[in-house]
Amino acid sequence: MKFGVLQSIVHNAADSLGSGIGLMVGVYEMDIYGEAGRSPDGVIKVDFLTGKVIEGEASVSLRKAVELYRTAFDELCVRHGVEPWSFKAATARFGTDATLGPHFTVHVEDREGRIATDRFIGSPGRRL
């Protein structure tokens, strides 16, 4: 499996979550950037493999959306011909600030030890 495909899957999931619409989970309205801005450290980090918020303070509604992304992430993997267990890590860290505006960082690690961390700005996310 090409590592770039794994990176693309995590980026797509993060981009969907950051869009505020959540089409991957059936039109689920949320504002992850707004909530990140209100979180004590100014970020919200999600783990797509567990469906949990692992950094920052998120509303009950956003936590529920992230849980829904757990199943949607597996389905996205299958559509791309990837087994979800191919990932060792698949996270996205969302924030917003005066310099970059809304931005997110995607971290991907596969079972072979390959690791990549990429930053994106805006919605849809463009490489920084």
Side-chain angles (χ1 to χ4, degrees):
M1 172 58 48
K2 289 190 175 185
F3 189 67
V5 173
L6 301 182
Q7 289 176 279
S8 175
I9 290 169
V10 181
H11 171 265
N12 289 346
D15 212 23
S16 174
L17 185 58
S19 75
I21 301 169
L23 292 176
M24 279 182 61
V25 295
V27 186
Y28 194 103
E29 189 174 334
M30 67 207 110
D31 181 10
I32 196 163
Y33 294 112
E35 291 197 32
R38 292 186 295 275
S39 191
D41 291 330
V43 299
I44 291 182
K45 184 175 182 180
V46 301
D47 183 337
F48 291 111
L49 300 179
T50 63
K52 302 288 183 201
V53 173
I54 58 174
E55 183 181 351
E57 293 182 11
S59 67
V60 172
S61 176
L62 181 58
R63 287 183 185 277
K64 177 62 178 165
V66 172
E67 287 175 17
L68 294 172
Y69 269 85
R70 169 68 190 100
T71 302
F73 185 80
D74 284 354
E75 293 167 356
L76 183 61
C77 288
V78 170
R79 282 196 305 273
H80 283 277
V82 172
E83 295 291 336
W85 55 262
S86 300
F87 291 92
K88 187 173 180 181
T91 63
R93 190 173 193 257
F94 297 86
T96 186
D97 59 52
T99 305
L100 295 176
H103 58 276
F104 62 95
T105 302
V106 170
H107 178 78
V108 180
E109 185 173 350
D110 71 4
R111 296 288 173 185
E112 296 176 22
R114 294 178 288 191
I115 298 172
T117 302
D118 298 300
R119 296 187 70 196
F120 300 89
I121 58 171
S123 183
R126 300 172 315 278
R127 282 197 188 274
L128 184 62

